[in-house]
Amino acid sequence: MDKLQGVGVSHGVAVGQVRHMGTAVLEPPARQIDAEEAPREQQRARQAVEAVAADLTARGELAGGEAQAVLEAQALMAQDPELIADVERRVTAGGTAERAVYDAFSTYRELLAGAGEYLAGRVADLDDVRNRIVARLLGVPMPGVPDSDEPYVLVARDLAPADTALLDPALVLGFVTEEGGPTSHSAILARALGVPAVVALPGAGELAEGVVVAVDGANGEVVVDPDEAERERLARVAAEHRAALESATGPGATSDGHKVPLLANVGGPADVAAAVEAGAEGVGLFRTEFLFLDDSQRAPSEEKQVAAYRAVLEAFPEGRVVVRVLDAGADKPLAFLAPGEEPNPALGVRGLRTLLDHPEVLRTQLTALARAAEGLPVYLEVMAPMVADRADARAFADACREAGLTAKVGAMVEIPSAALRARSVLQEVEFLSLGTNDLAQYTFAADRQVGAVARLQDPWQPALLDLVALSAEAAKAEGKSCGVCGEAAADPLLACVLTGLGVTSLSMGASAIPHVRAALAQHTFAQCERAAAAARAADSAERARQAARAVLSGE
């Protein structure tokens, strides 16, 4: 019995036989075609691109939520005009459709890989799009989730969003990947599905087909060929966890009554039903990008935005709904907001910076939100992404007032400068919301899509906890609120630590809410405070996790 250690990203325990993802598409042969064949090959390429884009979009519509936004972004990637033009040039030069696609995508892949870690993390998504187009042109099955009638544990080097989004939890007991990180697309979608998952596991690809493994998505441990005693232990852990979930009901609170509202992260109206069913007390992060991905060439009309926003607001009467205005740029480029060539888009014009450069887009969105909330008893709050300082916060607050918005105005803390100067930022806005994914990325210069730096994306990093504490302390001093809407809030143990740091609300994917509610209900606020202090005193993420667990378990 061997024990392997990765990064746990989705809670739960799974025991089953290993099944590996299908192999990658083979490189198509280089074959010259005659000039008269070029139009036909170009047509084949265009048809394959459109078919793959349509398939990705359809998969997204089936999956809904987080998955839909990710897959629609991939569909746009497949239809990139520059890539298609490059494919057609290569066909004109004598290449077959499949070879032209392979070479054009390979060139673009090299550009991404060398454009800094943020864009390098999109290489896996690009490879998946390329493989799907080439497979269609070659007429071979698309590599993907294995065909099996029996439940299994899926093992892969990495999982493309298109595969993760449509996993059947009845068959896929859990999954393990060699790459990825705690905030990668696959990790986020795993949590949404409620499937136990471990990522960044060295040597995952060497696990033998058919061998039985036990996957603990909470602590990141994978046990190969577990003995009977280990299986019994894991079964007890799973049973205890189920019992805790069933006993914890109602609003979020510690065992001694300290209230911690548990809110949901939603990507559009499709996510509302799951949030309501999970007992969400409102929405802590309403991502609005889904509206803008339908057509990357132009912004959605005000009327279309009003209808979409109202559908979400109506689902939470007298609840709190926090809307993040459009967060475009970097990994979410939109043609009508394109800032031009940037050596590192992650550090360029994105988020609020983009909107301030395009005030008409921001004004339309804010006006639509104001109209959507008319006549509803909902507590609407609106926040800006990527706020760097007080000047940013003031500019956003001014824009909200000019649009006639009476909702509370807030700022996301995703840049270390905003955490360090939180009291200054709070002179202009009424609340803070910590986006721990980007805050970790910018604090440690570690792209959340790059498995090689996954340890620096771990939200248990003490330096990140320090920034959370600074923000929460500033909000308390100003008599204002400070929530967390990043993926850190979905970790039940870390949720207790965040509460102890002074965070006033937690927002997460709907599937995580019952787990966090149960964890909070088992501990007093004083225990949470002691766990937070112990975690901050540690000098590594793993030791911080161990220290907090020791405090909360009474060791």
Side-chain angles (χ1 to χ4, degrees):
M1 183 175 72
D2 294 326
K3 292 187 177 182
L4 307 175
Q5 189 64 50
V7 178
V9 295
S10 183
H11 282 254
V13 174
V15 179
Q17 291 187 334
V18 165
R19 292 286 181 270
H20 285 269
M21 284 286 287
T23 56
V25 173
L26 295 176
E27 180 178 345
R31 179 176 66 82
Q32 286 295 111
I33 62 171
D34 296 330
E36 58 268 21
E37 295 180 80
R40 179 177 64 84
E41 290 296 291
Q42 289 175 339
Q43 180 66 13
R44 286 182 64 226
R46 284 192 293 269
Q47 289 174 342
V49 164
E50 290 305 318
V52 167
D55 178 61
L56 289 168
T57 301
R59 284 170 178 259
E61 290 172 352
L62 281 173
E66 295 270 9
Q68 185 168 6
V70 172
L71 293 175
E72 286 177 347
Q74 272 197 294
L76 291 174
M77 185 181 286
Q79 297 170 303
D80 184 277
E82 290 187 17
L83 266 172
I84 293 172
D86 190 16
V87 168
E88 294 187 343
R89 282 194 297 270
R90 291 172 187 274
V91 170
T92 300
T96 62
E98 51 267 32
R99 187 70 210 189
V101 167
Y102 186 88
D103 289 342
F105 272 74
S106 295
T107 298
Y108 194 37
R109 184 187 198 281
E110 291 173 7
L111 290 173
L112 283 182
E117 286 184 350
Y118 198 92
L119 288 179
R122 305 310 177 270
V123 165
D125 288 359
L126 185 69
D127 285 348
D128 181 57
V129 172
R130 177 202 65 199
N131 289 347
R132 291 176 185 277
I133 298 172
V134 171
R136 183 170 288 272
L137 287 166
L138 290 174
V140 300
M142 181 62 214
V145 178
D147 186 17
S148 175
D149 295 327
E150 297 296 325
Y152 59 90
V153 172
L154 181 62
V155 176
R157 181 177 179 184
D158 201 356
L159 283 171
D163 295 318
T164 316
L166 296 181
L167 290 178
D168 181 356
L171 283 176
V172 181
L173 302 172
F175 67 74
V176 178
T177 66
E178 192 160 347
E179 298 182 354
T183 57
S184 65
H185 285 152
S186 293
I188 292 170
L189 296 179
R191 284 188 286 271
L193 286 167
V195 176
V198 173
V199 301
L201 182 77
E206 297 172 14
L207 291 170
E209 184 82 7
V211 69
V212 174
V213 296
V215 179
D216 189 333
N219 63 21
E221 191 173 78
V222 174
V223 182
V224 183
D225 199 14
D227 57 25
E228 193 59 34
E230 180 66 13
R231 293 191 189 205
E232 289 177 0
R233 184 189 71 80
L234 289 169
R236 285 196 302 272
V237 169
E240 290 169 1
H241 189 58
R242 283 195 299 272
L245 288 178
E246 291 168 2
S247 64
T249 58
T254 59
S255 62
D256 56 343
H258 177 80
K259 295 185 183 302
V260 188
L262 302 182
L263 312 172
N265 294 345
V266 304
D271 292 346
V272 168
V276 172
E277 185 179 352
E281 298 168 58
V283 173
L285 172 62
F286 178 8
R287 301 181 179 94
T288 57
E289 288 74 39
F290 75 101
L291 276 169
F292 295 79
L293 291 171
D294 285 346
D295 184 351
S296 68
Q297 301 301 314
R298 61 183 63 84
S301 68
E302 184 177 317
E303 295 302 322
K304 182 176 181 179
Q305 292 189 54
V306 170
Y309 302 150
R310 196 170 180 89
V312 175
L313 297 177
E314 288 176 336
F316 295 94
E318 300 185 7
R320 178 187 181 201
V321 176
V322 184
V323 179
R324 180 182 72 189
V325 294
L326 176 63
D327 183 12
D331 62 332
K332 290 171 282 192
L334 295 169
F336 65 91
L337 296 176
E341 290 296 321
E342 293 182 320
N344 190 341
L347 300 179
V349 181
R350 63 165 294 197
L352 179 61
R353 299 167 187 174
T354 299
L355 292 175
L356 294 178
D357 279 354
H358 297 270
E360 72 287 352
V361 175
L362 178 58
R363 187 181 309 109
T364 298
Q365 185 170 26
L366 294 175
T367 302
L369 284 166
R371 288 179 56 198
E374 286 177 0
L376 296 180
V378 68
Y379 296 96
L380 173 65
E381 301 182 10
V382 181
M383 61 185 181
M386 302 301 291
V387 170
D389 56 16
R390 183 173 179 174
D392 277 353
R394 183 189 304 118
F396 181 63
D398 287 346
C400 290
R401 283 190 286 269
E402 289 168 9
L405 197 65
T406 58
K408 280 189 175 181
V409 176
M412 291 199 71
V413 178
E414 301 164 284
I415 301 173
S417 61
L420 293 168
R421 302 287 293 173
R423 290 198 70 169
S424 174
V425 171
L426 283 164
Q427 303 311 304
E428 305 293 340
V429 296
E430 297 168 271
F431 68 93
L432 300 177
S433 183
L434 288 141
T436 52
N437 305 352
D438 269 324
L439 185 57
Q441 176 168 252
Y442 290 119
T443 298
F444 298 103
D447 192 312
R448 66 196 203 188
Q449 298 294 327
V450 178
V453 293
R455 75 173 187 85
L456 296 172
Q457 264 292 330
D458 192 325
W460 281 92
Q461 286 284 356
L464 186 65
L465 299 181
D466 287 345
L467 293 175
V468 173
L470 279 174
S471 302
E473 289 164 4
K476 183 178 180 180
E478 294 294 328
K480 297 179 179 180
S481 63
C482 176
V484 168
C485 65
E487 291 301 315
D491 179 337
L493 181 62
L494 185 51
C496 293
V497 167
L498 295 172
T499 297
L501 291 174
V503 166
T504 56
S505 66
L506 298 167
S507 189
M508 64 211 75
S511 64
I513 291 175
H515 300 275
V516 172
R517 181 188 293 119
L520 288 171
Q522 292 175 328
H523 305 290
T524 66
F525 181 55
Q527 285 178 307
C528 292
E529 288 184 310
R530 289 197 297 273
R536 288 184 69 188
D539 56 9
S540 73
E542 185 53 38
R543 289 181 179 175
R545 187 182 287 107
Q546 291 170 353
R549 184 176 286 117
V551 170
L552 294 176
S553 64
E555 295 177 7

